[in-house]
Amino acid sequence: MTFAIKKSAGGQYIQDLFGWDEQLQLGRHKDRFSQENTNLIVQNDTVVGWISVLDHGDHTKIDELYVLPEFQCKGIGTAVLQEVINHVKLLNVPLRLRVLGINRDGIRLYERLGFAKQHEDGPFLYMELNLLKKETAEDS
């Protein structure tokens, strides 16, 4: 199910950049996918996407996020990301992600939520939301 969602939500970007090789993409998905870090996104008893979040100690990374095209632009991605942001605020670490640079809708969503571009590497754009609490003299 997760591979089908990934293909539907992000396959066109992969196709446009690299060409779609079904076996290669399925193999990569199997190598990277981890149930323990993945949560299905469910709306009205329907699975509409999934997100994978990894804790690296000094930062948290949104590893993958997919919402089926027919459920995009309905506030679902925003709500899911806001839940992650609220959780990561408690950890007091930055929240990072990598997105394909041609995914303009995704980039706009991340920027709207406060993510800033850090750098580019080939087709990928790396972004970060700095959630670190600043200590003040009153906190000491």
Side-chain angles (χ1 to χ4, degrees):
M1 173 190 332
T2 55
F3 180 71
I5 292 170
K6 181 177 183 173
K7 183 177 178 179
S8 179
Q12 190 60 52
Y13 298 121
I14 295 168
Q15 171 67 37
D16 291 349
L17 286 169
F18 311 109
W20 184 267
D21 178 324
E22 186 83 8
Q23 293 307 310
L24 175 68
Q25 292 302 323
L26 185 57
R28 284 184 177 166
H29 180 71
K30 287 179 179 177
D31 288 344
R32 294 189 62 202
F33 181 78
S34 167
Q35 280 188 318
E36 84 179 40
N37 300 318
T38 300
N39 289 298
L40 296 178
I41 302 168
V42 180
Q43 186 175 50
N44 299 325
D45 297 323
T46 301
V47 175
V48 301
W50 59 277
I51 185 169
S52 176
V53 180
L54 306 173
D55 179 20
H56 292 283
D58 66 335
H59 72 280
T60 297
K61 180 182 177 193
I62 297 171
D63 194 43
E64 298 187 78
L65 169 61
Y66 299 100
V67 176
L68 288 168
E70 59 268 30
F71 294 96
Q72 292 175 8
C73 301
K74 298 182 185 308
I76 296 168
T78 299
V80 169
L81 287 167
Q82 197 59 60
E83 283 185 39
V84 174
I85 290 167
N86 290 340
H87 174 73
V88 173
K89 279 181 183 177
L90 300 174
L91 301 175
N92 197 33
V93 296
L95 180 57
R96 298 179 180 154
L97 59 83
R98 179 181 81 166
V99 61
L100 287 169
I102 64 171
N103 182 353
R104 295 292 170 211
D105 291 336
I107 293 167
R108 276 191 293 277
L109 169 62
Y110 300 133
E111 287 177 334
R112 187 168 44 80
L113 292 172
F115 284 84
K117 297 174 186 173
Q118 297 299 301
H119 67 279
E120 290 185 48
D121 184 11
F124 297 103
L125 176 63
Y126 293 79
M127 302 181 81
E128 179 176 280
L129 178 60
N130 190 340
L131 298 167
L132 297 175
K133 295 177 188 164
K134 307 244 189 301
E135 269 195 45
T136 64
E138 295 172 6
D139 293 335
S140 302

